[in-house]
Amino acid sequence: MTGYASVQHSPLGAGGDTPASTAPTARMGLEIRSVNSRFLDLSFRLPEELRQLEPGLRELITRQIKRGKVEVRASQDAGDGAALQAPNHQALQKIAALQGKIQDWLPDARALSVADVLRMTAGSSGQAAPDEAAWMQLAAQAVDALREARAREGARLTKMLQGHIAQLRSLADLAVPLVPQLVEQQRQRFLERWKDAMALADGSHLPESAQDRALTEATAFAIRIDVAEELTRLRSHLDEISRLLDKGGDIGKRLDFLIQELHREANTLGSKSAVLEMTRISVDMKVLIEQMREQVQNIE
């Protein structure tokens, strides 16, 4: 299911009783987005200084989210009280030497700016490691907010699916009386054919044989168009889907299977159809089932 959560936190500086010691040292931000997917697909957009957090974030998210294409973004901005640290001498020498070599080969290459140098030496300037415990706490808040957003969407999807289930039940009810009507119509048609055969008989053909053949064809036709079993199974699948939606939880894969079975029964109704009205019912069912299939893939 789709969802979005964004949380921020500004930890206070440690130690001291002066106002400066309680000023925020950094601003931590975490965003989690999820879109529809049949499986869990995690991707991380983390700055280099936070790359070490990925295993912990992955474990935290996979424990609580089972489906969806999930993207995680994290950022950490220095607070007002944070001061830039000067790069060490060895790093500056290496950068200057590399720049000289590159410009020997590429005379038109742009010289490095102060900002470029600071960015390149950020990892060698003694920058403190991220507070993993604080980040995991922040991530837990973000995952909870994401699950709440997905739960709200899940409630909307459940309401829509229950509406489709009600429509499918109505279509099944329309199909039930059609079968005996069709059988009776076909029986009358075969009897008329038998009477025609009787009228054309010249005495060498036994009437019983023509009647037996007509009854055999009528019986075969009744068996061929009997969809009572398909309608029973379809109703059973609808009952199970409704039960799972009421139960909630990790039901996505089971719903996928049941939707496939619904589609199978609707196809069989269409293949056994002997009148246009039954064909229309089958088509309407398959349209509703396909709409349910698209939405069921979003449910966790």
Side-chain angles (χ1 to χ4, degrees), residues 221-241:
F221 177 80
I223 295 173
R224 188 168 64 250
I225 68 169
D226 185 10
V227 293
E229 290 186 9
E230 286 76 11
L231 292 174
T232 299
R233 287 194 296 266
L234 188 141
R235 287 196 180 97
S236 176
H237 297 328
L238 292 176
D239 290 342
E240 180 65 10
I241 292 173

Side-chain angles (χ1 to χ4, degrees), residues 168-184 225-235 269 275 277-278 281-282 285:
L168 286 169
R169 292 187 193 278
S170 298
L171 289 171
D173 292 341
L174 292 176
V176 170
L178 291 178
V179 176
Q181 294 175 10
L182 291 173
V183 173
E184 180 60 25
I225 68 169
D226 185 10
V227 293
E229 290 186 9
E230 286 76 11
L231 292 174
T232 299
R233 287 194 296 266
L234 188 141
R235 287 196 180 97
L269 287 177
V275 291
E277 188 173 357
M278 183 70 81
I281 289 175
S282 172
M285 282 184 171

